[in-house]
Amino acid sequence: MTPPDVRAWMRDRILLFDGAMGTMLQQRGLTPGALPELLNIEAPEVVTGVHEAYVEAGADVITANTFQAHELKLGAASVEAVVAAGVGCARAAGARFVALDVGPLGQLLAPMGPVGFERAYEVFRRQVRAGAAAGADLILIETMSDPYEAKAAVLAARENTDLPVFCSMTFQEDGRTFVGCDPLTATVLLQGLGVDALGVNCSLGPALLAPVVETMLTYAREPVLVQANAGLPVIRDGQTVYETGPEAYADEVVKLVRRGVRIVGGCCGTTPAYIRLLRARIEGLAPVAVTPRRVTACTSGTRTVILNGATTAIGERLNPTGKKKMQAALRAGDVGYLLGEAVAQAQAGADVLDVNVSLPELDEPAVLAKVVREVQGVTDVPLQIDSADPAALEAGLRVYNGKPIVNSVNGKRTAMEAVFPLVKKYGALLVCLTLDEEGIPPTAAARVDIARRLRDEARRYGVPEEDLLIDCLVLTVSAQQAQVQETLAAVRGVKAELGLHTVLGVSNVSFGLPEREAVNAGFLAAALGAGLDAAILNPLSARYREVLDVFRVLNNEDKGAAHYIETRAARTKDAPAASAEARVLSLAEIIAQGRRDLAAGAVRARLEAVSPLDIIDREFIPALDEVGRRFESGEIFLPQLMQSAQAVQEGFAVIKDHMTRTGCGRESRGKILLATVQGDIHDIGKNIVRMLLENYGYDVVDLGKDVPIRTVVDTIRAQGIRLAGLSALMTTTVKSMKDTIAAVRAAGLPCTFMVGGAVLSPDYADFVGADHYAKDAMESVAIANEYFSAKS
């Protein structure tokens, strides 16, 4: 019998998922390093037995053993066969609903890692199509840290199946994911992509995840899901155990249900005992109605801009209209020029950056997608994707990391039919121009009528009205002077009659007049007074910034005038903000901004004046230290850290080439061995550590992942290594880490060990016999610096 749609079934129920699969398979003999998904074919009775235990415990949804059943992990094994067998095991256990489990790829997406967005999409597509063909009832995309990877998986699921899509992300104790995504950003982004439920899983226990869940409940229109770990793993009597038992776990989860969580279950460390108790506690509980805040928000991968109650500045300088240097850069393929303009606008305080590459001789879809990716590599400010070509809009929307603004649609039937489906599919705010087949109406009332029609049409496509920004259109005062007041009246009308947010391209008003900044600033002040929410302008203009800053104080947005006072004080010391064409960046600035496009050229120029060693010691390392400090303080996140590290790598390549040609070598700061221990195949963190250590001038012997103990011992002995770093992601391979260090000690080799990884802690470091615990990549650098300084 065909099961009901899970979305309808849970309408008046709390939906209960199962608990951990890996924990249960390890109890049944899964060896460290083995691929759990292969058991679907090699020992289906074991997998089915785990599922049966969860069915007996009362789980509504059984998660198929397909977490990493994709071509990057399975090697020669057939994805389709493994997935089909996995879904079959869940179905054979008597599951009410079977979820195809889709986990992360195990490699970072570009620009941080080697996997391109479309490659990730293809890998996920194959997996979800196999799941749908095998008869899964829904798709659970889980344990995601990177929202960009989550987007690739969600798009693959929605474009290739009709199944409900649930998506959960994993958060650290600082309230962000591994790559720096916060729960608000995750909620806005996933909701925009149209998932059927969103939430959190893994990493922490339910009590520690409560603040993250609270944020999601505040903003999520879709049901919120929680599958926490059974607390944090700890060492007791030499064994790894989870600190939260079934009673405490159920108590905390029920608190979240009473706050409005609709879907619960377990992750690492939970067992059928947890699920059985959870079933008993939620039995009879009705879903708690939640009224989410409906906000007008756009995001990058790590930052959200909410327009409600906040005047928003949209930078206009990434647009070739009237800008000869921008046009020349686009024709020459010089993305670096655009990146400079992007960084300059972001530093000047732009909340959003408009990106337009429209030149008739360019392949606009390809160029726009490239520029969107590159600009997102140097700034986390959200983007406004600007084109009149729907194909270009879709190309930009597809590769964008976050929820952007689309500029624009208008009241013409053809435009609405082309643009609204794109906005609905990818999730975006949308600039709506108040013109139609008859042109721009001369009266404010007529423009408000078009805005109303655009709102009604948006509803028909399922685009919520809070995602609309109405542009009442600014005409040139020198040619149509009376129209300025009509525009302002239209802004007031849209706010009063429709309650929608408004946006205007401010600079349009002054064409044909001298002292354009004065005219624009005056109009900006008038528009803000009329209720304008977002202004498209040049953020490098001190005059515009002054108008905005003052308005934000007068409008009670800048509390205590803190920003106003701070920026006034800073301007007495600093030079005014300059565009990219106005000045040359120092090497330190290039590294801080992650400008890979400029690093090689800057290093070549510096080599004409200073030695390679001076560049490394006096420029690279101090700049990396500052980037590391900002990373440690939470000012920047992993994507920005990686961009800076990659910029240094570009510079290092030039230095190495110079040394080869001149015959002058560089003395290494020390040799360090890195390895992900035997049985563990998760090496993302180790690879980041390697990049940073190399940037700091260390020679790294990287043995890779799943490294046999004997290989570590032999390499340390053969190469005389005195400092080694070991990583592990899973609690099950912490034992392998301990055995590796013990083997080196037993061999009488005088090697110091630092250890790190998602499950590691100071207690674990003591347990495995390590000398140092590195909580992140920058900590590894600090340990290496201290170690080799002491030895020198």
Side-chain angles (χ1 to χ4, degrees), residues 45 53 84 192 196 219 277 451 487 492 531 555 564 701 785:
E45 70 284 359
D196 297 286
Y219 293 97
L277 192 56
T487 297
R492 287 190 288 268
N555 203 39
Y564 180 82
V701 180
N785 290 344

Side-chain angles (χ1 to χ4, degrees), residues 131-211:
D137 301 309
L138 66 148
I139 295 172
L140 175 64
I141 299 166
E142 62 166 335
T143 325
M144 289 289 171
S145 292
D146 184 354
Y148 203 32
E149 185 175 8
K151 176 176 179 175
V154 171
L155 282 180
R158 293 187 63 79
E159 291 181 350
N160 294 280
T161 80
D162 295 324
L163 297 176
V165 179
F166 295 2
C167 184
S168 61
M169 302 192 69
T170 183
F171 292 83
Q172 305 172 139
E173 284 187 83
D174 64 359
R176 289 181 178 265
T177 70
F178 176 61
V179 304
C181 180
D182 62 90
L184 171 59
T185 298
T187 301
V188 172
L189 187 158
L190 292 174
Q191 200 159 249
L193 290 172
V195 299
D196 297 286
L198 58 89
V200 299
N201 79 292
C202 202
S203 71
L204 303 171
L208 289 177
L209 283 174

Side-chain angles (χ1 to χ4, degrees), residues 225-278:
L225 171 159
V226 176
Q227 289 187 279
N229 281 359
L232 295 170
V234 295
I235 300 293
R236 286 189 190 139
D237 301 326
Q239 298 295 317
T240 297
V241 297
Y242 285 86
E243 61 183 1
T244 304
E247 289 278 352
Y249 186 87
D251 288 345
E252 294 297 333
V253 172
V254 168
K255 290 179 186 174
L256 298 176
V257 170
R258 295 189 189 283
R259 294 286 303 132
V261 168
R262 298 284 304 277
I263 304 164
V264 297
C267 201
C268 300
T270 61
T271 64
Y274 288 70
I275 301 305
R276 183 175 298 105
L277 192 56
L278 205 46

Side-chain angles (χ1 to χ4, degrees), residues 30-345:
L30 177 68
T31 57
L35 286 175
E37 292 80 8
L38 293 181
L39 292 179
N40 297 341
I41 293 175
E42 296 169 353
E45 70 284 359
V46 174
V47 177
T48 301
V50 174
H51 292 324
E52 287 173 340
Y54 281 119
V55 170
E56 188 276 331
D60 300 310
V61 182
I62 296 300
T63 310
N65 183 34
T66 55
F67 182 70
Q68 290 193 310
H70 55 73
E71 60 197 63
L72 300 183
K73 286 289 183 184
L74 292 180
S78 162
V79 171
E80 289 73 17
V82 172
V83 168
V87 173
C89 289
R91 189 69 73 197
R96 185 188 304 275
F97 298 104
V98 175
L100 175 77
D101 197 15
V102 176
L105 299 177
Q107 300 181 40
L108 290 172
L109 264 62
M112 291 187 290
V115 182
F117 180 82
E118 288 302 332
R119 171 60 175 149
Y121 171 87
E122 291 299 328
V123 172
F124 287 128
R125 180 172 72 165
R126 185 175 175 188
Q127 186 178 8
V128 299
R129 292 180 71 171
D137 301 309
L138 66 148
I139 295 172
L140 175 64
I141 299 166
E142 62 166 335
T143 325
M144 289 289 171
S145 292
D146 184 354
Y148 203 32
E149 185 175 8
K151 176 176 179 175
V154 171
L155 282 180
R158 293 187 63 79
E159 291 181 350
N160 294 280
T161 80
D162 295 324
L163 297 176
V165 179
F166 295 2
C167 184
S168 61
M169 302 192 69
T170 183
F171 292 83
Q172 305 172 139
E173 284 187 83
D174 64 359
R176 289 181 178 265
T177 70
F178 176 61
V179 304
C181 180
D182 62 90
L184 171 59
T185 298
T187 301
V188 172
L189 187 158
L190 292 174
Q191 200 159 249
L193 290 172
V195 299
D196 297 286
L198 58 89
V200 299
N201 79 292
C202 202
S203 71
L204 303 171
L208 289 177
L209 283 174
V212 172
V213 175
E214 191 67 35
T215 299
M216 290 186 160
L217 286 170
T218 301
Y219 293 97
R221 298 192 298 268
E222 305 300 336
V224 172
L225 171 159
V226 176
Q227 289 187 279
N229 281 359
L232 295 170
V234 295
I235 300 293
R236 286 189 190 139
D237 301 326
Q239 298 295 317
T240 297
V241 297
Y242 285 86
E243 61 183 1
T244 304
E247 289 278 352
Y249 186 87
D251 288 345
E252 294 297 333
V253 172
V254 168
K255 290 179 186 174
L256 298 176
V257 170
R258 295 189 189 283
R259 294 286 303 132
V261 168
R262 298 284 304 277
I263 304 164
V264 297
C267 201
C268 300
T270 61
T271 64
Y274 288 70
I275 301 305
R276 183 175 298 105
L277 192 56
L278 205 46
R279 165 55 69 196
R281 295 287 179 86
I282 65 173
E283 200 65 35
L285 289 181
V288 174
V290 175
T291 303
R293 284 185 60 193
R294 301 183 76 94
V295 294
T296 299
C298 58
T299 82
S300 62
T302 56
R303 181 193 289 195
T304 295
V305 173
I306 295 179
L307 277 69
N308 303 66
T311 305
T312 301
I314 302 174
E316 67 177 8
R317 293 186 60 81
L318 294 178
N319 187 324
T321 304
K323 301 182 181 70
K324 291 183 178 178
K325 289 188 176 179
M326 182 73 71
Q327 294 173 11
L330 285 170
R331 292 187 183 106
D334 178 13
V335 178
Y337 180 86
L338 281 72
L339 300 185
E341 289 290 348
V343 171
Q345 292 183 91

